Amino acid sequence: MDNTLPSWLIYCRPGFENDCVEETQAKPIETDKDSGYVVLQGKPRLAYSQLAFARQLLRLHGEVNDLQERDRITPLLAAIPAMPAKFSALYLEVPDTNDGKTLSGFTRRFQPLLEEVLREQGRLDDAPPVGAALAANSLRQQAGSYTENLPRLHIFFPNQSRALICTSDPHNSSAALNGIQRVSMNGDAPSRSYLKLAEAFEVFLDAKEQAQFLKPNMTAVDLGAAPGGWTWQLAQRGLKVFAVDNGPLKGAAATHPNIKHLRQDGFKFRPQRPVDWLVCDMVEQPQRVAELMTEWFVGGLTMHAIFNLKLPMKKHVAAMQEALNRIRTALNNKGVRYTLQAKQLYHDREEVTVYLTRVKK
Ligand SMILES: C[S@@+](CC[C@H](N)C(=O)[O-])C[C@H]1O[C@@H](n2cnc3c(N)ncnc32)[C@H](O)[C@@H]1O
């Protein structure tokens, strides 16, 4: 490695390592297929919010090999960079693989031991430990309240004897452990897709935006709604939902008073009055979905949208960027002000989720 250039560690969905590399255009150093992470070098700055395939973006400072069970703490402490002098939190992390799941028992046990030593050395903020925040399932909000602008310290274990020592900028990374935003299932939800929209809201909107943009009695259209997981997520937040799908809604979604099921074609349906939200989970070509979203925004039919772009078998990055650029070009030409963000969420498989929102003039 050339040590004059910054190195980066990025977590991703296993199988999407090459997409991560392609998106950053940085030099690949370690990109094992299905490992769930990549090491890159050479870009002075990367923007987390602009990287769809990156679950987490970390600056890599060094690594420790041959860690021995009898004393892991001494070599790890020696590898932690002297600057910054203090960290807001310690994250011990593992890849999103079967081996990683096995390792997470070890990191949970090791976390309080290392935290205690770092605190004694004055290198860790005296805020609640990461474990406590995670238990509250609101890391994002809690982190915001105590971290100020201090970087976080991340120690990533590709396996039990190797550790990569990293830091994250709280304004340019995910606050969630392993870059995975945890959300909980609702017992009445008609499908597990409920979790996907829940995760999208957590990832794309902070607590203030959620309170402002997702108020009871706001209106939403769900294109490709059946069996009703996304619709149920919106209804749980108090929104009135037009659920458009020729297929049936299931369970409680079929009879909920705030849900109106419309058996229509999602590509042809347009609301009589503009709505607050458009969500779309139809399995279709990304370009076709991009065109549909553009039409709704140019026509002033919605304020915000969350939609999926299903990725083709190959050329994921190119297909995604082509679809996103189509939206950008059309909205720029029409003078629509907006922000656009895409992420492959934890609950996304061969797809990315996009958040498009109108910016008021
Ligand atoms: C992946 S499923 C949606 C799952 C849903 N988001 C949930 O949370 O339960 C895709 C749905 O899109 C619907 N669909 C596909 N093409 C459509 C079209 N042109 N108009 C309306 N619905 C369509 C299918 O009937 C199917 O129910």
Side-chain angles (χ1 to χ4, degrees):
M1 260 202 259
D2 178 349
N3 289 330
T4 57
L5 297 171
S7 298
W8 303 93
L9 172 64
I10 295 181
Y11 306 157
C12 65
R13 183 176 184 83
F16 289 81
E17 295 78 12
N18 286 339
D19 301 301
C20 265
V21 177
E22 190 180 337
E23 233 188 345
T24 58
Q25 297 185 337
K27 185 178 158 196
I29 303 292
E30 200 178 321
T31 59
D32 293 346
K33 189 158 169 27
D34 296 324
S35 64
Y37 70 95
V38 293
V39 175
L40 305 167
Q41 199 177 38
K43 284 268 173 171
R45 197 184 144 73
L46 290 171
Y48 172 69
S49 65
Q50 300 306 310
L51 298 174
F53 292 94
R55 282 184 184 170
Q56 181 59 290
L57 174 67
L58 305 174
R59 278 294 296 273
L60 173 60
H61 299 279
E63 68 174 89
V64 183
N65 289 296
D66 299 325
L67 276 171
Q68 302 292 321
E69 208 177 329
R70 61 188 142 76
D71 179 16
R72 291 191 184 90
I73 290 187
T74 308
L76 288 177
L77 286 177
I80 295 170
M83 290 304 288
K86 204 166 192 175
F87 303 100
S88 65
L90 169 69
Y91 286 40
L92 299 187
E93 302 185 307
V94 294
D96 180 19
T97 59
N98 286 338
D99 288 347
K101 282 190 189 85
T102 314
L103 271 175
S104 60
F106 148 70
T107 54
R108 267 197 298 274
R109 289 191 302 279
F110 191 46
Q111 172 96 25
L113 306 178
L114 192 54
E115 261 181 6
E116 195 184 331
V117 180
L118 287 169
R119 261 204 195 93
E120 277 167 15
Q121 294 188 344
R123 302 219 53 196
L124 201 57
D125 208 26
D126 284 331
V130 162
L134 281 176
N137 199 26
S138 60
L139 187 57
R140 190 184 167 113
Q141 282 94 318
Q142 295 212 11
S145 64
Y146 68 74
T147 57
E148 299 165 11
N149 292 321
L150 288 178
R152 310 181 196 99
L153 174 63
H154 298 250
I155 303 182
F156 176 70
F157 294 90
N159 56 58
Q160 206 154 350
S161 63
R162 182 174 177 225
L164 305 185
I165 314 292
C166 306
T167 55
S168 66
D169 171 352
H171 305 294
N172 191 27
S173 60
S174 164
L177 190 73
N178 297 316
I180 298 172
Q181 183 69 51
R182 299 283 166 188
V183 285
S184 46
M185 190 61 184
N186 173 289
D188 291 330
S191 71
R192 289 189 61 77
S193 299
Y194 171 88
L195 293 170
K196 202 188 292 187
L197 190 57
E199 184 187 353
F201 285 141
E202 293 299 328
V203 167
F204 293 123
L205 281 72
D206 62 25
K208 199 170 143 211
E209 288 164 335
Q210 287 187 35
Q212 196 182 337
F213 299 161
L214 288 160
K215 287 192 189 136
N217 293 322
M218 283 183 163
T219 49
V221 169
D222 183 357
L223 301 177
W230 286 29
T231 285
W232 193 248
Q233 172 62 230
L234 292 160
Q236 290 302 296
R237 290 174 177 267
L239 278 79
K240 295 189 170 149
V241 192
F242 297 98
V244 181
D245 202 306
N246 276 318
L249 296 183
K250 290 203 173 139
T255 52
H256 193 285
N258 278 359
I259 298 173
K260 190 169 170 57
H261 184 196
L262 303 169
R263 290 184 185 273
Q264 293 186 35
D265 182 343
F267 283 92
K268 296 194 181 133
F269 173 83
R270 297 292 182 275
Q272 285 176 349
R273 275 182 289 281
V275 293
D276 299 289
W277 281 90
L278 167 65
V279 298
C280 173
D281 191 21
M282 292 188 287
V283 183
E284 251 301 339
Q285 303 239 349
Q287 295 298 339
R288 210 172 161 214
V289 173
E291 225 165 86
L292 182 65
M293 297 301 115
T294 305
E295 277 178 39
W296 276 66
F297 270 78
V298 169
L301 297 177
T302 186
M303 276 299 291
H304 319 276
I306 285 180
F307 55 95
N308 272 333
L309 295 177
K310 314 285 175 191
L311 298 169
M313 295 283 281
K314 288 184 180 161
K315 301 203 171 161
H316 296 152
V317 176
M320 176 191 74
Q321 287 178 346
E322 207 181 319
L324 296 179
N325 285 338
R326 178 178 284 224
I327 297 173
R328 289 188 185 105
T329 305
L331 297 189
N332 291 342
N333 286 345
K334 294 283 179 187
V336 178
R337 294 188 61 208
Y338 62 92
T339 59
L340 180 65
Q341 234 185 299
K343 273 278 169 219
Q344 188 180 38
L345 303 175
Y346 175 67
H347 290 96
D348 282 336
R349 289 171 186 265
E350 302 286 319
E351 63 202 340
V352 294
T353 299
V354 184
Y355 174 47
L356 176 61
T357 187
R358 206 173 276 280
V359 175
K360 284 194 181 138
K361 293 192 181 161

